[in-house]
Amino acid sequence: FPSHDTVKVIKEREGVDIDLLSLDMNDEKVYQMLSDGYTKGVFQCEATPYTNLLIKMGVKNLAELSASNALVRPGAMNTIGKDYIERKHGREAVNYLHQVMKPITQDTYGCILYQEQVMQACVELGGMSWSEADKVRKIIGKKKDAREFDAFRNKFVSSASKFINPNQARDLWHDFEAHAGYSFNKSHAVAYSTLSYWTAWLKYHYPIEFTYSLLKNEKDKDARTEYLIEAKRMGISIKLPHINDSDIDFK
């Protein structure tokens, strides 16, 4: 993995030990680099749809980067993506169906983005046990037929009607059913985004070592060309192969 090679070569060249697990996860310059769309070589983020999303929404911390990881999934951008971005930038009001939903969805601007949020709503509003809520999560996670939700619908609507009117409860359950097609697991999003941040941090602070590791590990000719172009943008000079200076790999 390029990150491992980058850490290794930083140690060799600079004598610096980089402990990825101890990195400051709040480096503003790293998040700004991602928000500006300079994502080449950054884990998951370099795909064009993801880069475009980062430019549109902007990310300032790990929570927002994790949200982007969930939003870029198939379906999410076309359903709640627009509302999330508009609310994040203050162009649309953040509304909560009921105050019970505020602590559950305030970090995602009132949008239900993660499977864990569906579980919390099932417990807090729907009167379910955590094991029942987990069954709902599993149906979502396996992207099974939304009709499997039927066994839980009546219980949820009945219990949630103590907080909100029955029509709102049914609408919220309908939103849960829609989640079967696109919602993502928050714990996965955070884990993926941690890897994204690590690679972005290495790219920003150690661009030469990072670029070396990318080129060493990339076998696809077209992708390698893109990384060479990105190296030029970052001000890294790339020398041609030389019979006396070159190694068996990039150097």
Side-chain angles (χ1 to χ4, degrees):
F1 198 66
S3 293
H4 298 150
D5 281 334
T6 306
V7 169
K8 182 181 175 184
V9 79
I10 289 169
K11 173 68 173 175
E12 291 171 358
R13 281 170 49 86
E14 310 286 344
V16 178
D17 284 307
I18 303 293
D19 180 6
L20 295 174
L21 290 170
S22 300
L23 283 189
D24 172 15
M25 301 297 287
N26 297 299
D27 192 322
E28 292 179 8
K29 292 177 180 178
V30 174
Y31 290 112
Q32 189 59 55
M33 179 185 76
L34 293 174
S35 301
D36 289 338
Y38 298 125
T39 59
K40 285 294 176 195
V42 177
F43 178 72
Q44 289 209 329
C45 298
E46 63 180 338
T48 301
Y50 205 156
T51 302
N52 291 341
L53 173 61
L54 289 170
I55 294 170
K56 270 187 201 172
M57 69 178 277
V59 288
K60 294 182 178 179
N61 51 51
L62 185 64
E64 292 183 2
L65 186 59
S66 299
S68 74
N69 192 281
L71 280 169
V72 81
R73 306 288 156 179
M77 199 62 231
N78 299 326
T79 48
I80 59 170
K82 183 176 180 293
D83 287 339
Y84 180 95
I85 292 171
E86 290 297 298
R87 292 175 184 186
K88 183 180 186 300
H89 292 304
R91 297 189 290 259
E92 182 180 301
V94 177
N95 294 311
Y96 301 101
L97 194 58
H98 187 274
Q99 282 303 107
V100 173
M101 293 297 291
K102 185 174 181 179
I104 295 172
T105 60
Q106 63 184 352
D107 288 344
T108 52
Y109 305 97
C111 299
I112 296 174
L113 178 60
Y114 300 116
Q115 291 175 11
E116 287 89 340
Q117 290 172 310
V118 174
M119 287 179 65
Q120 284 178 282
C122 284
V123 172
E124 301 293 337
L125 266 182
M128 294 184 193
S129 65
W130 280 106
S131 63
E132 288 174 316
D134 193 47
K135 287 177 183 175
V136 174
R137 180 197 63 79
K138 286 177 180 175
I139 295 169
I140 293 171
K142 293 175 182 175
K143 294 181 173 58
K144 290 186 175 180
D145 192 323
R147 283 175 295 186
E148 289 195 39
F149 281 115
D150 291 349
F152 301 100
R153 179 189 287 111
N154 291 340
K155 179 170 184 175
F156 178 85
V157 172
S158 175
S159 179
S161 295
K162 298 171 187 172
F163 299 94
I164 54 182
N165 74 52
N167 285 334
Q168 288 178 313
R170 279 187 280 271
D171 287 344
L172 187 57
W173 186 263
H174 180 71
D175 289 343
F176 294 169
E177 290 180 329
H179 269 69
Y182 68 78
S183 83
F184 197 61
N185 186 300
K186 183 176 182 179
S187 56
H188 289 182
V190 171
Y192 289 145
S193 295
T194 299
L195 288 175
S196 297
Y197 180 86
W198 286 352
T199 50
W201 188 93
L202 291 169
K203 177 178 181 175
Y204 183 85
H205 290 283
Y206 293 93
I208 293 175
E209 291 84 354
F210 180 77
T211 301
Y212 155 79
S213 301
L214 274 182
L215 292 168
K216 176 187 172 187
N217 285 280
E218 184 56 65
K219 304 307 178 188
D220 180 79
K221 187 171 66 175
D222 292 336
R224 189 179 271 179
T225 299
E226 289 191 15
Y227 293 148
L228 288 168
I229 293 169
E230 176 68 352
K232 185 177 181 180
R233 183 196 67 78
M234 292 191 292
I236 300 171
S237 63
I238 306 291
K239 295 181 180 179
L240 294 172
H242 192 283
I243 190 70
N244 295 324
D245 290 341
S246 295
D247 212 329
I248 58 170
D249 211 317
F250 281 88
K251 179 182 176 183

